[in-house]
Amino acid sequence: MPVAPPPPRSLPLTALRAFEAAARLGGFAAAAAELGVTPGAVTAQVKALEETLGAALFERQSKGVRLTALGAAAAGGMTEAFDALARAEAVLRGRAAPQVVHVATLPAVAQLWLSPRLPALRAAAPEISVSITALEAPPNLKRAPYDLSLFPAETGGQLVAADAILPVCAPALAARLKRPQDLADLPCLSDASWAEDWPRWLAAAGVAMQARGPVFSLYALAVEEAVNGAGVLMGHAPLVAGHLADGRLVAPFALALPLAAGLRLWSARPLAKGSAAARVAAFLAARPGAAV
Amino acid sequence: MPVAPPPPRSLPLTALRAFEAAARLGGFAAAAAELGVTPGAVTAQVKALEETLGAALFERQSKGVRLTALGAAAAGGMTEAFDALARAEAVLRGRAAPQVVHVATLPAVAQLWLSPRLPALRAAAPEISVSITALEAPPNLKRAPYDLSLFPAETGGQLVAADAILPVCAPALAARLKRPQDLADLPCLSDASWAEDWPRWLAAAGVAMQARGPVFSLYALAVEEAVNGAGVLMGHAPLVAGHLADGRLVAPFALALPLAAGLRLWSARPLAKGSAAARVAAFLAARPGAAV
DNA sequence: ATCCTGGTTTAGATTTTCTGACCCTAGTTT
DNA sequence: AAACTAGGGTCAGAAAATCTAAACCAGGAT
């Protein structure tokens, strides 16, 4: 019955946020990734929270963690609360800078698809300032401060560009490629995050071979190398359209394998008619099939 | 159109909380008090937030601040979000320590009314641990982590003890007090936060005089001094009932002036039937009129 | 005139929070 | 069985955030 000397402070917001993310994503590592900190930081936050509560929120298991009954009871409300906070934050951001549109997309899309379209967008709506963030994976739009998100997916959002894969190379190299089998003689460039492209296409082409060649972690770099004649790249139609159009790259084979996952555009919230984000979205979605 | 190097981080939670409190309470000083920090800290938080947003949230005026259109647009959502967060936090706290009940009350009530009742409560429910925090003003129950709040008020909550004021003093002094007019000859003890008590009672008693005497900032101290014979204290019936019952203090005059504001009990949320908080509330409310 | 209220500013201290490098465990792979 | 991998935990130190104290300012009230 102590007349508690330190008036009970409210729990630290950072720790609550870490707990919420870990609960929602099912692990500290995933939470750390979402919050943009190291896993150790999340561990520490959750541990501190558990200590001030005097009760465990997660059961530690050999592989990952699992919510305790207490954690599970609290998680839902926390998620709701932080969702509400993110919404309020979006209102704040949107009203404070109504002419700024934040777009999240893959690095490859940013450089090879979005970037070439920006001059036209700037010309069409000079008062809008588009800020692009390259991410390896789609952000959680309920939380991350982006207005638009542009990622490959099979469903959801709005289709902005269909995708198909086809081998492309510098014109000088094309002469040596009569049949798909000839690929065995040349380096096959590929991107680390699209490792499945070559096997897929080769299977569709009916060729029993393994593609060998340098692997890049940045697709735009692979494209550059292909232009330089370093080998044959498995091209994604929307991303190499410009290079094909101006002849820096050519497609030695007719087969373009359509992919189920096209480039799709999501908006964080329903777009207010006439808002800058709505106009950018409309601009990007204008010509779903077209090359630039 | 920069490929923004630092992925836009979400706004700092602390700053948002400071903004929300300032918006809701209408000033930085009030916000600082609620958050338990200095006004300078709130100024800094809000300023930092305004800088990262690139827009003002408050108009600074000679006397206080006023929300800008932007601030007003964001305030509602922020308040909702932090309310939701506080609710989630309460769930967490409640489930983590279901047998702990946090009570907020005036220092005087804590020492003179609540404290004497605790032994009986402990006897009746030994498994419940009551933690008492003394506050000068009622907390915002939607936010502060208290289960119960016990403060004088005219309406609201549940009446737990009616209040009335009456002069009290040590028995030795009472002999010198035949009529209210005799008060002029003795020091009139009073509490800083109840400065109106003496004038009110004297007016009701029909005496035209000003009470003179030492002023205390802690009512319990004034009571102690009265017991020691230092003068006549304007007693609050529920708070001096124990001393009157055991004779350490006596009431030299018959007039006890009833006050509209009685001691009232609020709960932060509807009390779950059978919960520790509900049981404590029931115990405290058991005998609204009775002395201890 | 002087006080009072409410906000602002600054330097410096304190506390929080994060990283980086390492350890640990239990599955999985080789 | 040995090596890997995935996911956490720990620790010291560093970095960043946050806070306080104390002094300052402006305008209205006494």
Side-chain angles (χ1 to χ4, degrees):
Chain A
M1 319 285 148
V3 176
R9 324 261 308 131
S10 122
L11 300 169
L13 298 175
T14 309
L16 294 178
R17 181 169 53 179
F19 161 65
E20 189 277 334
R24 174 164 42 82
L25 301 172
F28 292 4
E34 174 169 301
L35 298 174
V37 299
T38 56
V42 174
T43 300
Q45 294 288 358
V46 172
K47 192 181 166 194
L49 185 55
E50 290 178 321
E51 256 160 34
T52 72
L53 285 174
L57 294 165
F58 291 94
E59 278 173 34
R60 271 68 171 180
Q61 300 179 319
S62 63
K63 191 117 176 167
V65 294
R66 222 177 47 195
L67 284 170
T68 60
L70 171 62
M78 286 292 168
T79 296
E80 272 179 44
F82 280 103
D83 280 349
L85 200 53
R87 281 195 300 274
E89 202 181 308
V91 169
L92 199 51
R93 271 210 159 85
R95 298 238 185 185
Q99 301 297 358
V100 177
V101 180
H102 291 267
V103 183
T105 190
L106 286 177
V109 176
Q111 294 179 67
L112 300 171
W113 192 90
L114 204 43
S115 177
R117 283 166 171 73
L118 290 181
L121 175 53
R122 203 159 29 231
E127 73 284 10
I128 296 179
S129 155
V130 179
S131 151
I132 300 168
T133 302
L135 300 176
E136 294 301 331
N140 177 357
L141 284 185
K142 278 177 121 171
R143 293 294 170 82
Y146 303 107
D147 301 299
L148 301 173
S149 160
L150 194 60
F151 281 83
E154 301 194 3
T155 59
Q158 177 182 15
L159 185 66
V160 145
D163 199 2
I165 50 178
L166 71 170
V168 296
C169 61
L173 242 56
R176 296 161 55 185
L177 294 166
K178 305 294 182 203
R179 312 160 307 152
Q181 283 75 10
D182 300 335
L183 286 166
D185 306 326
L186 289 172
C188 293
L189 315 183
S190 62
D191 183 278
S193 57
W194 275 320
E196 286 312 295
D197 284 357
W198 272 111
R200 256 173 162 174
W201 188 90
L202 290 172
V207 187
M209 61 166 279
Q210 294 227 335
R212 294 271 171 222
V215 177
F216 296 82
S217 64
L218 201 53
Y219 191 74
L221 202 54
V223 170
E224 213 45 53
E225 280 294 276
V227 168
N228 293 341
V232 186
L233 169 71
M234 184 51 64
H236 282 255
L239 305 185
V240 296
H243 291 77
L244 289 176
D246 63 20
R248 277 174 294 169
L249 290 177
V250 297
F253 308 113
L255 175 61
L257 177 64
L259 298 182
L263 201 52
R264 288 172 176 274
L265 182 69
W266 283 261
S267 65
R269 286 151 256 293
L271 294 169
K273 219 172 150 63
S275 68
R279 295 170 63 197
V280 171
F283 179 89
L284 295 180
R287 300 172 297 170
V292 67
Chain B
M1 317 286 150
V3 176
R9 325 261 306 132
S10 119
L11 299 169
L13 297 175
T14 310
L16 293 179
R17 181 169 52 179
F19 161 64
E20 189 277 334
R24 173 165 42 82
L25 301 172
F28 291 4
E34 174 168 302
L35 298 174
V37 298
T38 56
V42 175
T43 301
Q45 294 287 358
V46 172
K47 193 180 165 193
L49 186 56
E50 289 177 322
E51 256 160 35
T52 73
L53 286 173
L57 294 164
F58 292 94
E59 278 173 33
R60 272 67 171 179
Q61 299 178 319
S62 63
K63 190 118 176 169
V65 294
R66 222 179 45 197
L67 283 169
T68 60
L70 171 62
M78 287 291 167
T79 297
E80 274 179 43
F82 280 102
D83 280 350
L85 200 52
R87 281 195 300 274
E89 201 181 310
V91 168
L92 199 50
R93 270 212 159 84
R95 298 237 185 186
Q99 302 297 357
V100 177
V101 179
H102 291 267
V103 183
T105 190
L106 285 177
V109 176
Q111 293 178 68
L112 299 170
W113 192 90
L114 203 43
S115 177
R117 283 164 171 75
L118 290 182
L121 175 55
R122 203 159 29 232
E127 74 284 8
I128 295 180
S129 155
V130 178
S131 152
I132 299 169
T133 302
L135 299 177
E136 295 300 331
N140 176 357
L141 283 185
K142 278 175 120 172
R143 294 293 170 82
Y146 304 107
D147 301 299
L148 300 173
S149 161
L150 193 60
F151 281 82
E154 302 195 1
T155 59
Q158 176 182 14
L159 185 67
V160 145
D163 199 2
I165 51 178
L166 71 169
V168 296
C169 61
L173 242 55
R176 296 161 55 184
L177 293 166
K178 305 293 183 202
R179 312 161 306 151
Q181 284 74 10
D182 299 335
L183 286 166
D185 306 327
L186 288 171
C188 292
L189 315 183
S190 62
D191 183 279
S193 56
W194 275 319
E196 287 311 296
D197 284 357
W198 272 112
R200 256 172 161 176
W201 188 89
L202 290 171
V207 187
M209 61 166 280
Q210 293 227 335
R212 294 271 170 220
V215 178
F216 295 82
S217 65
L218 201 53
Y219 191 73
L221 202 55
V223 170
E224 214 44 53
E225 280 294 277
V227 169
N228 293 341
V232 186
L233 170 70
M234 183 52 64
H236 282 255
L239 305 185
V240 296
H243 289 78
L244 289 175
D246 64 20
R248 278 173 294 168
L249 290 176
V250 298
F253 308 113
L255 175 61
L257 177 64
L259 298 182
L263 201 52
R264 289 173 174 273
L265 182 68
W266 283 262
S267 66
R269 285 152 256 291
L271 294 169
K273 218 172 151 62
S275 68
R279 294 170 64 197
V280 171
F283 179 89
L284 295 180
R287 299 172 296 169
V292 69

